[in-house]
Amino acid sequence: MNGIHDLGGMHGLGPIAFDEDPAPFHHEWERRVFGMFLPIFSLGIYNLDELRHAIERMGASAYLNTSYYEHWLFAYETMLTEKGTLTRAELDARCAQIAAENC
Amino acid sequence: MSNNHSRPLSDVEIRVKALESLLVEKGLLDTAAVDALIDTYEHKVGPRNGARVVARAWLDADYKQRLLIDGTKAIAELGYTGMQGEDMVVIENTADTHNVIVCTLCSCYPWPTLGLPPTWFKSAPYRSRVVSEPRAVLQEFGLLLAETVTVQVWDSTAELRYMVLPQRPAGTEGLDEAQLAALVTRDAMIGVATVQAPVK
C-alpha cells in the first residue's frame, strides 16, 4: 500500500544530515526502545508485518516529524493497545504520573 | 522522588518510561532482557563483523564464490547469524559496477554484519534520494564515480537484506585477513564509500 513511508523518489526532503558519531544510540530513551524490541516481540502478541504496518499508519506529518525510534515506540503502543495488552487509559495515566514526578 | 533530574523529561522519554514500567508490572517484560539486547548491539555486533566477511572473501576465492551465491550461509560460516540477517544477499563492486544499498520503505539493515544503522541511513533524505539521484547522493558522501561506472541501487524488502562487497584496493597485497578487515569501513559495505589502501 502506498503511504508516507514509501519515500523512494520523493522530492523536497532536504539534504542528508551526516552524523559522524558511530554510536547506535544518542539518547538513553532510544536505548530502551531498541532493547524492548525483542522481549516484547517474543510475547507473540503481534508479528513483524503488523508492527511495520502500525508505523505505516502514522499520519504523514507525524511520520516525517519523528525519529526512527519514535516510530518504533508508536508501533509498540499501537500494537499493545489494539491487541488489548494495555489500554490507552493506562498509558495516559502512567505518563501523567511520571510527568508529575519529574517536573 | 521528584526533582532528581537536571531537566524535565521530554514527552517521548515519559512515554518510554510509562510503557516499560507498565509492562514490567504486568510481568510481561524483564528489564534484564532489555539491557541484554542493548548490550549486544551496542558492544558485540557491528561493522567489524562485516569487515571480516569482506576480508575473507578477498583472500579466499572459494569463500567469495560461496558468499555471492548464498550470502546467508557463507556469513554464517563466520558465526554471524540472527535477527535482520536471515536472508542476506551480497553484491560485488567491480571496476564497471558500483552498488549501494537502501531501505526506502523502512530502514531495514543487515544487523549481524553491520550492526545498527547510522542515523542518516534511516533518514527521509537518504531514503528518498538515493534511488532517484544516486550519483548526486554518493558525491555528497565524497564518492565521485566515473561516468563509465554503472551505479546499481538495491532496495531491501521486508525480509531480504543486502551488503556490498567492496573492491579490494591496490597496494594491499601481502596483508593478512585482520589487516585487510581493518581497512573496511561500514560506509564501504553500504556502498557510499570505497575502501582505501593504508597510507604508507
Side-chain angles (χ1 to χ4, degrees):
Chain A
M1 195 181 80
N2 271 339
I4 187 61
H5 64 283
D6 191 357
L7 287 173
M10 202 175 283
H11 291 166
L13 294 171
I16 297 163
F18 294 104
D19 174 12
E20 300 302 329
D21 180 1
F25 308 110
H26 298 91
H27 302 283
E28 178 58 22
W29 70 265
E30 294 181 340
R31 251 185 213 100
R32 303 314 293 172
V33 170
F34 174 78
M36 283 192 273
F37 171 76
L38 195 57
I40 302 179
F41 184 73
S42 304
L43 297 171
I45 296 165
Y46 50 75
N47 66 38
L48 213 48
D49 295 317
E50 290 178 297
L51 190 71
R52 280 202 190 95
H53 188 229
I55 294 175
E56 293 167 6
R57 288 186 282 139
M58 287 180 91
S61 129
Y63 185 89
L64 291 176
N65 286 304
T66 51
S67 67
Y68 179 69
Y69 287 114
E70 281 178 87
H71 294 177
W72 284 31
L73 175 62
F74 174 88
Y76 298 161
E77 291 168 342
T78 302
M79 276 294 104
L80 294 172
T81 52
E82 286 184 358
K83 300 281 188 179
T85 310
L86 299 173
T87 66
R88 188 55 70 174
E90 276 178 301
L91 277 173
D92 289 347
R94 181 57 56 91
C95 284
Q97 184 195 332
I98 293 169
E101 286 169 0
N102 288 280
C103 61
Chain B
M1 55 182 277
S2 62
N3 283 330
N4 54 357
H5 294 269
S6 54
R7 59 172 176 79
L9 296 174
S10 68
D11 286 349
V12 69
E13 287 170 325
I14 290 170
R15 282 165 59 204
V16 173
K17 283 181 185 294
L19 181 67
E20 186 170 358
S21 65
L22 279 173
L23 290 173
V24 167
E25 279 171 26
K26 288 174 185 284
L28 298 172
L29 185 69
D30 175 3
T31 53
V34 178
D35 295 337
L37 193 68
I38 295 166
D39 181 55
T40 297
Y41 285 91
E42 204 162 31
H43 300 119
K44 298 181 182 132
V45 178
R48 290 301 94 217
N49 293 359
R52 203 176 138 224
V53 171
V54 169
R56 176 69 57 90
W58 285 346
L59 288 172
D60 180 341
D62 290 339
Y63 181 75
K64 178 175 156 185
Q65 197 180 4
R66 293 199 297 281
L67 184 67
L68 296 176
I69 291 171
D70 185 340
T72 316
K73 214 164 147 185
I75 289 166
E77 285 180 37
L78 301 192
Y80 309 131
T81 57
M83 276 194 297
Q84 301 294 314
E86 296 93 342
D87 194 357
M88 287 293 302
V89 171
V90 179
I91 38 188
E92 184 186 14
N93 282 349
T94 65
D96 304 319
T97 306
H98 182 87
N99 299 285
V100 57
I101 66 171
V102 65
C103 175
T104 61
L105 293 174
C106 188
S107 298
C108 302
Y109 194 71
W111 293 0
T113 39
L114 298 192
L116 297 178
T119 305
W120 57 259
F121 186 88
K122 301 176 283 190
S123 72
Y126 180 77
R127 289 163 52 198
S128 61
R129 289 180 52 216
V130 76
V131 289
S132 58
E133 46 173 1
R135 282 178 194 277
V137 167
L138 293 177
Q139 208 169 336
E140 284 173 42
F141 279 91
L143 181 57
L144 187 58
L145 295 170
E147 284 299 321
T148 50
V149 174
T150 302
V151 179
Q152 290 185 333
V153 183
W154 301 79
D155 192 357
S156 306
T157 67
E159 282 83 28
L160 204 151
R161 303 287 172 268
Y162 296 105
M163 183 181 117
V164 174
L165 174 60
Q167 280 189 283
R168 179 174 175 173
T172 56
E173 300 77 13
L175 297 189
D176 66 19
E177 187 176 301
Q179 290 168 322
L180 287 171
L183 303 176
V184 180
T185 63
R186 174 198 72 196
D187 286 0
M189 294 180 281
I190 297 175
V192 295
T194 53
V195 177
Q196 305 300 312
V199 182
K200 298 232 166 101

